[in-house]
């Protein structure tokens, strides 16, 4: 498929259904789009000790993130130089001082260089050079860290890390700055869900504020019934505090505001969000003031977006301290992982909030996500209906918006979604012939 054919699938305020349905387009996304974008790998706290690793796929390529014995974090292809065997097969573990291939036991140092080959004399006179770059575990085109957040880009070309994310990195900073000592730690395994939908349906929903009132009506009505008749200032159980705001009116979501950033990134809830009303924690706030100064502490704590998106693989919540990682597997299969952070120097309650929120809103057993998933899986089927090949993104569209890479809009404006598709075209076609 050529550049023009790809671009024709995305119009200013609507996109063609092939973006969600076509397996051949998904194969092109793996080759171009996901290889040209910076994708989230993991958090350095997941590999605290030398030899600790996690394994994952980005753009269909197998990667391993490992802690080197010099303390650095490395990202390498999970592929033996001999015949292509994966060097690790677990999602996480400790490989010791080196990787050992399970097939013929070639070993690799933690920086990926080849360490030893059994029966090495068999290679004498063959031209095989163990020092040659190709004999080690290779690194992807780009690896970058923002604090402890690790990202990779498969292709060596394209934008560098800082210009790709730009202002979007401030959302990561806000999450980190919520620790009075500036440190976060991933704790526990993620809540992992396989959804039979296209990854773009999921990403659009991250910026969709018109749906909660209808889609999540059953959960908010149930929470409302449980809480009915209590005094407005009665202390709420954590689950009630977290679920009730999903039922706030359309006006609430409209006023929360959104910020559109270049390259598909965004911040939803620039003014306030469903997380803004959580119970105050005076001791924690005092610790924050001592660490950051009063003005800066207030600024950090008041900024609690609904969702900040580091397109296309990472969605963050400053409060509660949680991230979602989006891992597309096929045109109709997407894995979403919800991870919780422990905020160092902060009370346990913050971690409890993060875990409770992820359970309530993002687990397959949640009272929120199952409603979304039911609809997403339905969309995957219903888009095949004839008579309309397009998905509408018209809400709030103004012709002039195309000229402005960074823009503040109202919270229900679908520009935050249109912005994703503009970036999709850009990174799909970046390395394609015209
Ligand atoms: S495939 Fe890894 S040592 Fe042979
Ligand atoms: Fe939802």
């Amino acid at each position: 498929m050529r550049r023009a054919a790809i671009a024709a699938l995305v119009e200013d305020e609507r996109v063609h259904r092939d973006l969600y349905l076509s397996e051949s387009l998904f194969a092109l996304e793996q080759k171009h789009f996901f290889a040209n974008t910076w994708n989230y790998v993991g958090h350095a706290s997941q590999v605290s000790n030398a030899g600790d690793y996690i394994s994952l796929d980005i753009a269909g390529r197998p990667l391993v993130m490992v802690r080197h014995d010099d303390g650095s974090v490395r990202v390498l292809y999970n592929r033996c130089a001999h015949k292509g065997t994966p060097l690790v097969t677990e999602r996480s573990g400790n490989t010791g001082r080196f990787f050992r291939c399970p097939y013929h036991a070639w070993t690799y140092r933690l920086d990926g260089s080849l360490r030893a080959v059994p029966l090495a004399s068999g290679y004498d006179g063959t031209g095989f050079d163990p020092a040659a770059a190709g004999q080690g575990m290779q690194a992807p085109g780009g690896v970058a860290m923002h604090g402890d957040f690790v990202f990779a880009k498969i292709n060596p070309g394209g934008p560098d890390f800082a210009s790709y994310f730009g202002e979007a990195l401030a959302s990561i900073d806000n999450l980190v700055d919520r620790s009075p000592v500036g440190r976060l730690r991933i704790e526990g395994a993620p809540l992992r869900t396989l959804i039979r939908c296209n990854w773009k349906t999921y990403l659009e929903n991250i910026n969709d504020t018109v749906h909660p009132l209808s889609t999540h009506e059953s959960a908010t009505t149930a929470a409302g019934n449980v809480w009915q008749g209590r005094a407005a200032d009665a202390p709420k159980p954590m689950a009630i505090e977290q679920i009730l705001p999903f039922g706030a009116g359309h006006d609430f979501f409209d006023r929360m505001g959104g910020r559109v950033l270049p390259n598909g990134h965004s911040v939803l809830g620039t003014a306030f969000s469903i997380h803004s009303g959580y119970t105050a924690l005076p001791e924690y706030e005092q610790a924050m003031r001592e660490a950051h100064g009063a003005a800066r502490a207030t600024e950090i704590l008041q900024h609690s977006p609904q969702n900040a998106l580091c397109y296309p693989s990472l969605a963050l919540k400053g409060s509660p301290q949680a991230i979602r990682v989006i891992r597309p597997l096929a045109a109709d299969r997407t894995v979403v992982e919800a991870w919780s952070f422990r905020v160092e120097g902060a009370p346990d309650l913050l971690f409890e909030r993060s875990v409770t929120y992820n359970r309530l809103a993002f687990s397959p057993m949640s009272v929120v996500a199952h409603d979304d998933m039911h609809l997403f899986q339905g969309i995957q089927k219903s888009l095949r209906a004839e008579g309309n090949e397009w998905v509408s993104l018209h809400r709030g569209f103004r012709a002039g918006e195309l000229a402005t890479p960074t823009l503040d809009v109202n919270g229900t404006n679908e520009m935050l979604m249109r912005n994703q598709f503009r970036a999709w075209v850009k990174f799909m076609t970046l390395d394609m012939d015209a």
Side-chain angles (χ1 to χ4, degrees), residues 217-231:
E217 190 179 10
S218 61
T220 51
T221 304
N225 289 342
V226 168
W227 202 242
Q228 207 175 15
R230 308 293 173 111

Side-chain angles (χ1 to χ4, degrees), residues 255-296:
R255 283 186 293 110
M256 71 167 53
R259 188 161 167 82
V260 175
L261 302 172
N263 294 336
H265 316 306
S266 56
V267 181
L268 173 67
T270 43
F272 55 84
S273 75
I274 58 170
H275 309 300
S276 302
Y278 294 167
T279 312
L281 302 169
E283 274 177 41
Y284 166 58
E285 285 161 26
Q286 181 56 31
M288 285 289 284
R289 281 192 291 273
E290 281 164 20
H292 297 287
R296 177 73 188 126

Side-chain angles (χ1 to χ4, degrees), residues 84 126 132 159 257 329 354 382 389:
T126 64
L329 299 181
S354 178
S382 291
E389 297 187 354

